[in-house]
Amino acid sequence: MKSKGAMTEEDIKNKYITPAVVGAGWDMQTQIYFEHYFTDGRVIVRGNLTARAEGKRADYLLMHKSNYPLAIIEAKDNNHPVGGGMQQAIDYAEILDIPYAYSSNGDAFVEHNRLTGEERTIALSEFPSHDALWSRYQQDAGLSTEQKELIDEPYYFQLGDKTPRYYQRVAINRTLDAVAQGKNRIMLVMATGTGKTYTAFQIIYRLWKAGIKKRILFLADRNILVDQTMINDFKPFEKVMTKVENRVLDSSYEVYTALYQQLAGEDGTEPFRQFQPDFFDLVIIDEAHRGSAKEESRWRKVLDYFNGPDTTHIGLTATPKETKDTSNTTYFGEPLYTYSLKQGIDDGFLAPYKVIRVGLDRDLEGYRPEKGKVDMFGNEIEDREYNSTDFDRNLIIDGRTEEVAKRITEFLKKHDRYMKTIVFCANIDHAERMRSALVNLNADLVRENSKYIMRITGDTPEGKAQLDNFIDRSSQYPTIVTTSKLLTTGVDAKTCRLIVLDSNINSMTEFKQIIGRGTRLDPEFGKEYFTIMDFRNVSRLFADPAFDGDPVVVYEVPTDSELPDETNEPERTSVTDTTTFKLPGEQSDENDYHTAPKKYRVNDVDVRIANERVYYYDVGGKLITENLIDYTKRNIRNEYATLEEFLRKWKSADQKQSLLDELKKHGVLLEALFDHKPHLKGLDEFDLICHLAYDQKPLTKAERANNVKKRGYIYQYQDVAREVLELLLEKYKKEGVQEIDGTNVLELPEFQRFGSSLKIVKAFGGKKEYLSALKQLKDEIYIS
């Protein structure tokens, strides 16, 4: 039997840790999750290729209920100290909201109590049972009867349904715990695409089933949001649910969905007054960053009315807003839970993005008309310097619109002309001109179907009627839509793969919402990342600390006044959100372009692309411009610091592809390099790695194959065996070493002339002898 020190981590788990946990009474089928992956792993993008990084994995999760983990255990081999896995265990416990973290190397356990901050070492035989740990948790957390009842209330689940992801579970459980403690205003901040509505459904369902909240109102500000909610996530409520329509409220239901607009009205005559103020126990406010948080808003009256002593208000938003006029924090308090875009991308639940930042010469240099120049309509253009803040608002340059449309079209033609695309424009007029320019450049596809390109803005019922088709995964048309404000929020455009920014966006809230249109992953339809094409340098906002953080709240202090008491809910504004700031001629509403200042329009000014740069999303949300070669070298050396270390690993790997796959998880996308540098295609992956990361002189596959022949290794064998090895070597020369791994290669047509794979391995003396000869062949290939 191996000594403990010679055992692998798996051996330690199987022989010591698992028996200790099971011996304490934990049920292997229902209470222990082994090797539990709780993230999918970040999608890494380089060029047009993607790979998945390794997801986060807990060695053991110990569950009170399927929706409530009590403890996490991280295992190490016996060459580590008992607490060698504790830092990782605590890190994962904090992410997963788990109270107790354990580390073990097979000798004992170290226990960390996150509720008290204490640690202790216990023997393997002293590991607590489920009942003992649950009893201790109730005491450490000070759980009330109501809190315990809600913990034990299960999620809604039917066979084939999705189950909550870890962050949804945390948001749900924290919310239920807050409700049980009597908190009546709660805010959850969850990035677009992370399932806010599904989270809301599970919160409602568990509170409703427990009998704590019996009548629920779900509020949104757009029909499409309400309809999507009822058809999808809220469908299990269909027998007790109604949508408020025609401003009529029917008291015979339990779950109500409504638009604010359906409930709003003149003072004293609002439709919501058909019910008593305490009619609803729970009000869920979707997109809570919008009008509901604004004190003087008619929508706010709905919340103020349904605000009985036992009524809970829960706000859901991806972009909490803090401005002078609108404060989510003032109304709801600090977010109970935040799951950010950066977290979603790093966990692999949201699509990363690459940014193509395009600089147009007129945007960079400005434009000043010559003296006395008139526009298309004979109006003399005011003599001043015009820049990107003027274009498409005060001054229209048709050449600029055409150049943007041309670059979009080039991108689609190179990648996929049926790639779902949203073009964000400065206003409705700009969106219409952009639509027309794109039509002219894509007339062949428009001829096939006029809905290939459409404008979807607030003033066009034809376009708005096609919104459902645009977001429908199975509908090809519309493919490209131009808009200004309508698609910035609330539209679940899961298949959108290209977002074009050609509008001066200064609001961080609006920017986050726009980026959210592309963040939904859809690998089944080939979407693992999305591209942002930026013509107005809007993507500079990615570098703003506020992009992925909570809005910064500052106090407005009157002259000669002292700082207000923080408990008095002072008026607030934000130093990062410039929603209320308008550039000259800027419109913030879909319809106000009709009353905008006079615009000049010219069609004789040339516009060209001056520069273009591609940025990639990297770990932690940074946009980097590091070239592909430097990026690959860095990631290889992160895994193998020296050439000797890499060579040892390569030589010991029976299946070279497994090593390459592991590198791929760490961002080494060799296929992208071969695409980027076609002259490298003759190299073996081994030589490419050694050349890029360790400055070794590379050999081509052909050179390596010829060297094997010169050394005469193959000629040790006779007849069929020799011919098979020669054919394997030829296959390596053309396709690479991964194509000759194992015995499956012998099933390919080119080997059929030797008979079945069984007959071929017999020519070597058997399977063991064949694999030995193959390993020797691969060793010969990589002799320097």
Side-chain angles (χ1 to χ4, degrees), residues 277-293:
D278 61 355
F279 183 82
F280 291 112
D281 306 306
L282 175 63
V283 181
I284 304 278
I285 304 99
D286 197 19
E287 302 293 348
H289 63 280
R290 294 172 71 82
S292 57

mmCIF file with all atom_site columns, all heavy atoms in Angstrom, residues 277-293:
data_model
loop_
_atom_site.group_PDB
_atom_site.id
_atom_site.type_symbol
_atom_site.label_atom_id
_atom_site.label_alt_id
_atom_site.label_comp_id
_atom_site.label_asym_id
_atom_site.label_entity_id
_atom_site.label_seq_id
_atom_site.pdbx_PDB_ins_code
_atom_site.Cartn_x
_atom_site.Cartn_y
_atom_site.Cartn_z
_atom_site.occupancy
_atom_site.B_iso_or_equiv
_atom_site.pdbx_formal_charge
_atom_site.auth_seq_id
_atom_site.auth_comp_id
_atom_site.auth_asym_id
_atom_site.auth_atom_id
_atom_site.pdbx_PDB_model_num
ATOM 1   N N   . PRO A 1 277 ? -54.774 49.909 -0.143  1.00 0.00 ? 277 PRO A N   1
ATOM 2   C CA  . PRO A 1 277 ? -53.307 50.030 -0.084  1.00 0.00 ? 277 PRO A CA  1
ATOM 3   C C   . PRO A 1 277 ? -52.609 48.770 0.426   1.00 0.00 ? 277 PRO A C   1
ATOM 4   O O   . PRO A 1 277 ? -51.442 48.541 0.091   1.00 0.00 ? 277 PRO A O   1
ATOM 5   C CB  . PRO A 1 277 ? -53.096 51.209 0.876   1.00 0.00 ? 277 PRO A CB  1
ATOM 6   C CG  . PRO A 1 277 ? -54.338 52.024 0.757   1.00 0.00 ? 277 PRO A CG  1
ATOM 7   C CD  . PRO A 1 277 ? -55.446 51.035 0.552   1.00 0.00 ? 277 PRO A CD  1
ATOM 8   N N   . ASP A 1 278 ? -53.289 47.952 1.220   1.00 0.00 ? 278 ASP A N   1
ATOM 9   C CA  . ASP A 1 278 ? -52.650 46.747 1.744   1.00 0.00 ? 278 ASP A CA  1
ATOM 10  C C   . ASP A 1 278 ? -53.011 45.497 0.941   1.00 0.00 ? 278 ASP A C   1
ATOM 11  O O   . ASP A 1 278 ? -52.787 44.366 1.394   1.00 0.00 ? 278 ASP A O   1
ATOM 12  C CB  . ASP A 1 278 ? -53.014 46.546 3.212   1.00 0.00 ? 278 ASP A CB  1
ATOM 13  C CG  . ASP A 1 278 ? -54.523 46.370 3.420   1.00 0.00 ? 278 ASP A CG  1
ATOM 14  O OD1 . ASP A 1 278 ? -55.279 46.505 2.420   1.00 0.00 ? 278 ASP A OD1 1
ATOM 15  O OD2 . ASP A 1 278 ? -54.934 46.107 4.561   1.00 0.00 ? 278 ASP A OD2 1
ATOM 16  N N   . PHE A 1 279 ? -53.543 45.680 -0.275  1.00 0.00 ? 279 PHE A N   1
ATOM 17  C CA  . PHE A 1 279 ? -53.964 44.532 -1.084  1.00 0.00 ? 279 PHE A CA  1
ATOM 18  C C   . PHE A 1 279 ? -52.778 43.647 -1.430  1.00 0.00 ? 279 PHE A C   1
ATOM 19  O O   . PHE A 1 279 ? -52.862 42.413 -1.365  1.00 0.00 ? 279 PHE A O   1
ATOM 20  C CB  . PHE A 1 279 ? -54.656 45.012 -2.365  1.00 0.00 ? 279 PHE A CB  1
ATOM 21  C CG  . PHE A 1 279 ? -55.187 43.892 -3.221  1.00 0.00 ? 279 PHE A CG  1
ATOM 22  C CD1 . PHE A 1 279 ? -56.421 43.310 -2.932  1.00 0.00 ? 279 PHE A CD1 1
ATOM 23  C CD2 . PHE A 1 279 ? -54.471 43.415 -4.313  1.00 0.00 ? 279 PHE A CD2 1
ATOM 24  C CE1 . PHE A 1 279 ? -56.915 42.265 -3.705  1.00 0.00 ? 279 PHE A CE1 1
ATOM 25  C CE2 . PHE A 1 279 ? -54.952 42.381 -5.092  1.00 0.00 ? 279 PHE A CE2 1
ATOM 26  C CZ  . PHE A 1 279 ? -56.187 41.803 -4.788  1.00 0.00 ? 279 PHE A CZ  1
ATOM 27  N N   . PHE A 1 280 ? -51.643 44.240 -1.811  1.00 0.00 ? 280 PHE A N   1
ATOM 28  C CA  . PHE A 1 280 ? -50.462 43.466 -2.202  1.00 0.00 ? 280 PHE A CA  1
ATOM 29  C C   . PHE A 1 280 ? -49.510 43.311 -1.022  1.00 0.00 ? 280 PHE A C   1
ATOM 30  O O   . PHE A 1 280 ? -49.219 44.275 -0.312  1.00 0.00 ? 280 PHE A O   1
ATOM 31  C CB  . PHE A 1 280 ? -49.738 44.128 -3.376  1.00 0.00 ? 280 PHE A CB  1
ATOM 32  C CG  . PHE A 1 280 ? -50.503 44.083 -4.670  1.00 0.00 ? 280 PHE A CG  1
ATOM 33  C CD1 . PHE A 1 280 ? -51.010 45.248 -5.231  1.00 0.00 ? 280 PHE A CD1 1
ATOM 34  C CD2 . PHE A 1 280 ? -50.742 42.884 -5.311  1.00 0.00 ? 280 PHE A CD2 1
ATOM 35  C CE1 . PHE A 1 280 ? -51.720 45.216 -6.415  1.00 0.00 ? 280 PHE A CE1 1
ATOM 36  C CE2 . PHE A 1 280 ? -51.464 42.834 -6.501  1.00 0.00 ? 280 PHE A CE2 1
ATOM 37  C CZ  . PHE A 1 280 ? -51.954 44.009 -7.047  1.00 0.00 ? 280 PHE A CZ  1
ATOM 38  N N   . ASP A 1 281 ? -49.032 42.092 -0.835  1.00 0.00 ? 281 ASP A N   1
ATOM 39  C CA  . ASP A 1 281 ? -48.017 41.811 0.184   1.00 0.00 ? 281 ASP A CA  1
ATOM 40  C C   . ASP A 1 281 ? -46.611 42.046 -0.353  1.00 0.00 ? 281 ASP A C   1
ATOM 41  O O   . ASP A 1 281 ? -45.678 42.271 0.411   1.00 0.00 ? 281 ASP A O   1
ATOM 42  C CB  . ASP A 1 281 ? -48.094 40.346 0.636   1.00 0.00 ? 281 ASP A CB  1
ATOM 43  C CG  . ASP A 1 281 ? -49.472 39.949 1.096   1.00 0.00 ? 281 ASP A CG  1
ATOM 44  O OD1 . ASP A 1 281 ? -50.011 40.625 1.976   1.00 0.00 ? 281 ASP A OD1 1
ATOM 45  O OD2 . ASP A 1 281 ? -50.005 38.959 0.550   1.00 0.00 ? 281 ASP A OD2 1
ATOM 46  N N   . LEU A 1 282 ? -46.479 41.909 -1.690  1.00 0.00 ? 282 LEU A N   1
ATOM 47  C CA  . LEU A 1 282 ? -45.150 41.986 -2.313  1.00 0.00 ? 282 LEU A CA  1
ATOM 48  C C   . LEU A 1 282 ? -45.265 42.698 -3.649  1.00 0.00 ? 282 LEU A C   1
ATOM 49  O O   . LEU A 1 282 ? -46.132 42.353 -4.465  1.00 0.00 ? 282 LEU A O   1
ATOM 50  C CB  . LEU A 1 282 ? -44.593 40.564 -2.521  1.00 0.00 ? 282 LEU A CB  1
ATOM 51  C CG  . LEU A 1 282 ? -43.268 40.419 -3.270  1.00 0.00 ? 282 LEU A CG  1
ATOM 52  C CD1 . LEU A 1 282 ? -42.132 41.103 -2.501  1.00 0.00 ? 282 LEU A CD1 1
ATOM 53  C CD2 . LEU A 1 282 ? -42.931 38.947 -3.502  1.00 0.00 ? 282 LEU A CD2 1
ATOM 54  N N   . VAL A 1 283 ? -44.401 43.681 -3.866  1.00 0.00 ? 283 VAL A N   1
ATOM 55  C CA  . VAL A 1 283 ? -44.322 44.379 -5.151  1.00 0.00 ? 283 VAL A CA  1
ATOM 56  C C   . VAL A 1 283 ? -42.895 44.225 -5.674  1.00 0.00 ? 283 VAL A C   1
ATOM 57  O O   . VAL A 1 283 ? -41.926 44.603 -4.998  1.00 0.00 ? 283 VAL A O   1
ATOM 58  C CB  . VAL A 1 283 ? -44.675 45.878 -5.016  1.00 0.00 ? 283 VAL A CB  1
ATOM 59  C CG1 . VAL A 1 283 ? -44.604 46.561 -6.389  1.00 0.00 ? 283 VAL A CG1 1
ATOM 60  C CG2 . VAL A 1 283 ? -46.060 46.057 -4.394  1.00 0.00 ? 283 VAL A CG2 1
ATOM 61  N N   . ILE A 1 284 ? -42.770 43.632 -6.857  1.00 0.00 ? 284 ILE A N   1
ATOM 62  C CA  . ILE A 1 284 ? -41.463 43.481 -7.521  1.00 0.00 ? 284 ILE A CA  1
ATOM 63  C C   . ILE A 1 284 ? -41.363 44.548 -8.607  1.00 0.00 ? 284 ILE A C   1
ATOM 64  O O   . ILE A 1 284 ? -42.254 44.657 -9.455  1.00 0.00 ? 284 ILE A O   1
ATOM 65  C CB  . ILE A 1 284 ? -41.319 42.087 -8.169  1.00 0.00 ? 284 ILE A CB  1
ATOM 66  C CG1 . ILE A 1 284 ? -41.529 40.980 -7.136  1.00 0.00 ? 284 ILE A CG1 1
ATOM 67  C CG2 . ILE A 1 284 ? -39.970 41.954 -8.872  1.00 0.00 ? 284 ILE A CG2 1
ATOM 68  C CD1 . ILE A 1 284 ? -40.348 40.648 -6.299  1.00 0.00 ? 284 ILE A CD1 1
ATOM 69  N N   . ILE A 1 285 ? -40.291 45.319 -8.597  1.00 0.00 ? 285 ILE A N   1
ATOM 70  C CA  . ILE A 1 285 ? -40.123 46.406 -9.551  1.00 0.00 ? 285 ILE A CA  1
ATOM 71  C C   . ILE A 1 285 ? -38.980 46.044 -10.496 1.00 0.00 ? 285 ILE A C   1
ATOM 72  O O   . ILE A 1 285 ? -37.812 46.028 -10.102 1.00 0.00 ? 285 ILE A O   1
ATOM 73  C CB  . ILE A 1 285 ? -39.817 47.747 -8.847  1.00 0.00 ? 285 ILE A CB  1
ATOM 74  C CG1 . ILE A 1 285 ? -40.914 48.069 -7.823  1.00 0.00 ? 285 ILE A CG1 1
ATOM 75  C CG2 . ILE A 1 285 ? -39.675 48.869 -9.857  1.00 0.00 ? 285 ILE A CG2 1
ATOM 76  C CD1 . ILE A 1 285 ? -40.549 47.705 -6.398  1.00 0.00 ? 285 ILE A CD1 1
ATOM 77  N N   . ASP A 1 286 ? -39.314 45.701 -11.741 1.00 0.00 ? 286 ASP A N   1
ATOM 78  C CA  . ASP A 1 286 ? -38.295 45.376 -12.737 1.00 0.00 ? 286 ASP A CA  1
ATOM 79  C C   . ASP A 1 286 ? -37.714 46.665 -13.307 1.00 0.00 ? 286 ASP A C   1
ATOM 80  O O   . ASP A 1 286 ? -38.405 47.683 -13.382 1.00 0.00 ? 286 ASP A O   1
ATOM 81  C CB  . ASP A 1 286 ? -38.903 44.524 -13.852 1.00 0.00 ? 286 ASP A CB  1
ATOM 82  C CG  . ASP A 1 286 ? -37.840 43.826 -14.681 1.00 0.00 ? 286 ASP A CG  1
ATOM 83  O OD1 . ASP A 1 286 ? -36.703 43.697 -14.199 1.00 0.00 ? 286 ASP A OD1 1
ATOM 84  O OD2 . ASP A 1 286 ? -38.153 43.404 -15.799 1.00 0.00 ? 286 ASP A OD2 1
ATOM 85  N N   . GLU A 1 287 ? -36.444 46.600 -13.751 1.00 0.00 ? 287 GLU A N   1
ATOM 86  C CA  . GLU A 1 287 ? -35.749 47.780 -14.282 1.00 0.00 ? 287 GLU A CA  1
ATOM 87  C C   . GLU A 1 287 ? -35.916 48.959 -13.318 1.00 0.00 ? 287 GLU A C   1
ATOM 88  O O   . GLU A 1 287 ? -36.330 50.053 -13.687 1.00 0.00 ? 287 GLU A O   1
ATOM 89  C CB  . GLU A 1 287 ? -36.279 48.140 -15.679 1.00 0.00 ? 287 GLU A CB  1
ATOM 90  C CG  . GLU A 1 287 ? -36.163 47.028 -16.707 1.00 0.00 ? 287 GLU A CG  1
ATOM 91  C CD  . GLU A 1 287 ? -34.724 46.682 -17.067 1.00 0.00 ? 287 GLU A CD  1
ATOM 92  O OE1 . GLU A 1 287 ? -33.800 47.440 -16.698 1.00 0.00 ? 287 GLU A OE1 1
ATOM 93  O OE2 . GLU A 1 287 ? -34.509 45.653 -17.712 1.00 0.00 ? 287 GLU A OE2 1
ATOM 94  N N   . ALA A 1 288 ? -35.563 48.742 -12.060 1.00 0.00 ? 288 ALA A N   1
ATOM 95  C CA  . ALA A 1 288 ? -35.820 49.726 -11.010 1.00 0.00 ? 288 ALA A CA  1
ATOM 96  C C   . ALA A 1 288 ? -34.970 50.990 -11.151 1.00 0.00 ? 288 ALA A C   1
ATOM 97  O O   . ALA A 1 288 ? -35.177 51.948 -10.415 1.00 0.00 ? 288 ALA A O   1
ATOM 98  C CB  . ALA A 1 288 ? -35.575 49.098 -9.639  1.00 0.00 ? 288 ALA A CB  1
ATOM 99  N N   . HIS A 1 289 ? -34.017 50.999 -12.086 1.00 0.00 ? 289 HIS A N   1
ATOM 100 C CA  . HIS A 1 289 ? -33.220 52.213 -12.292 1.00 0.00 ? 289 HIS A CA  1
ATOM 101 C C   . HIS A 1 289 ? -34.015 53.275 -13.035 1.00 0.00 ? 289 HIS A C   1
ATOM 102 O O   . HIS A 1 289 ? -33.595 54.420 -13.137 1.00 0.00 ? 289 HIS A O   1
ATOM 103 C CB  . HIS A 1 289 ? -31.961 51.883 -13.100 1.00 0.00 ? 289 HIS A CB  1
ATOM 104 C CG  . HIS A 1 289 ? -32.260 51.375 -14.479 1.00 0.00 ? 289 HIS A CG  1
ATOM 105 N ND1 . HIS A 1 289 ? -32.633 50.074 -14.700 1.00 0.00 ? 289 HIS A ND1 1
ATOM 106 C CD2 . HIS A 1 289 ? -32.263 51.980 -15.688 1.00 0.00 ? 289 HIS A CD2 1
ATOM 107 C CE1 . HIS A 1 289 ? -32.844 49.898 -16.002 1.00 0.00 ? 289 HIS A CE1 1
ATOM 108 N NE2 . HIS A 1 289 ? -32.634 51.036 -16.618 1.00 0.00 ? 289 HIS A NE2 1
ATOM 109 N N   . ARG A 1 290 ? -35.165 52.877 -13.590 1.00 0.00 ? 290 ARG A N   1
ATOM 110 C CA  . ARG A 1 290 ? -35.944 53.828 -14.378 1.00 0.00 ? 290 ARG A CA  1
ATOM 111 C C   . ARG A 1 290 ? -36.875 54.636 -13.468 1.00 0.00 ? 290 ARG A C   1
ATOM 112 O O   . ARG A 1 290 ? -36.560 54.884 -12.312 1.00 0.00 ? 290 ARG A O   1
ATOM 113 C CB  . ARG A 1 290 ? -36.694 53.076 -15.475 1.00 0.00 ? 290 ARG A CB  1
ATOM 114 C CG  . ARG A 1 290 ? -35.701 52.459 -16.487 1.00 0.00 ? 290 ARG A CG  1
ATOM 115 C CD  . ARG A 1 290 ? -36.385 51.557 -17.471 1.00 0.00 ? 290 ARG A CD  1
ATOM 116 N NE  . ARG A 1 290 ? -37.200 52.301 -18.421 1.00 0.00 ? 290 ARG A NE  1
ATOM 117 C CZ  . ARG A 1 290 ? -36.722 52.899 -19.511 1.00 0.00 ? 290 ARG A CZ  1
ATOM 118 N NH1 . ARG A 1 290 ? -35.447 52.865 -19.779 1.00 0.00 ? 290 ARG A NH1 1
ATOM 119 N NH2 . ARG A 1 290 ? -37.531 53.533 -20.333 1.00 0.00 ? 290 ARG A NH2 1
ATOM 120 N N   . GLY A 1 291 ? -38.039 55.032 -13.912 1.00 0.00 ? 291 GLY A N   1
ATOM 121 C CA  . GLY A 1 291 ? -38.829 56.051 -13.241 1.00 0.00 ? 291 GLY A CA  1
ATOM 122 C C   . GLY A 1 291 ? -39.308 55.726 -11.849 1.00 0.00 ? 291 GLY A C   1
ATOM 123 O O   . GLY A 1 291 ? -39.691 56.622 -11.112 1.00 0.00 ? 291 GLY A O   1
ATOM 124 N N   . SER A 1 292 ? -39.297 54.446 -11.456 1.00 0.00 ? 292 SER A N   1
ATOM 125 C CA  . SER A 1 292 ? -39.878 54.095 -10.166 1.00 0.00 ? 292 SER A CA  1
ATOM 126 C C   . SER A 1 292 ? -39.130 54.710 -8.999  1.00 0.00 ? 292 SER A C   1
ATOM 127 O O   . SER A 1 292 ? -39.695 54.874 -7.926  1.00 0.00 ? 292 SER A O   1
ATOM 128 C CB  . SER A 1 292 ? -39.897 52.579 -10.013 1.00 0.00 ? 292 SER A CB  1
ATOM 129 O OG  . SER A 1 292 ? -38.605 52.046 -10.160 1.00 0.00 ? 292 SER A OG  1
ATOM 130 N N   . ALA A 1 293 ? -37.862 55.015 -9.183  1.00 0.00 ? 293 ALA A N   1
ATOM 131 C CA  . ALA A 1 293 ? -37.081 55.555 -8.069  1.00 0.00 ? 293 ALA A CA  1
ATOM 132 C C   . ALA A 1 293 ? -37.165 57.071 -7.995  1.00 0.00 ? 293 ALA A C   1
ATOM 133 O O   . ALA A 1 293 ? -36.632 57.680 -7.074  1.00 0.00 ? 293 ALA A O   1
ATOM 134 C CB  . ALA A 1 293 ? -35.620 55.118 -8.207  1.00 0.00 ? 293 ALA A CB  1
#
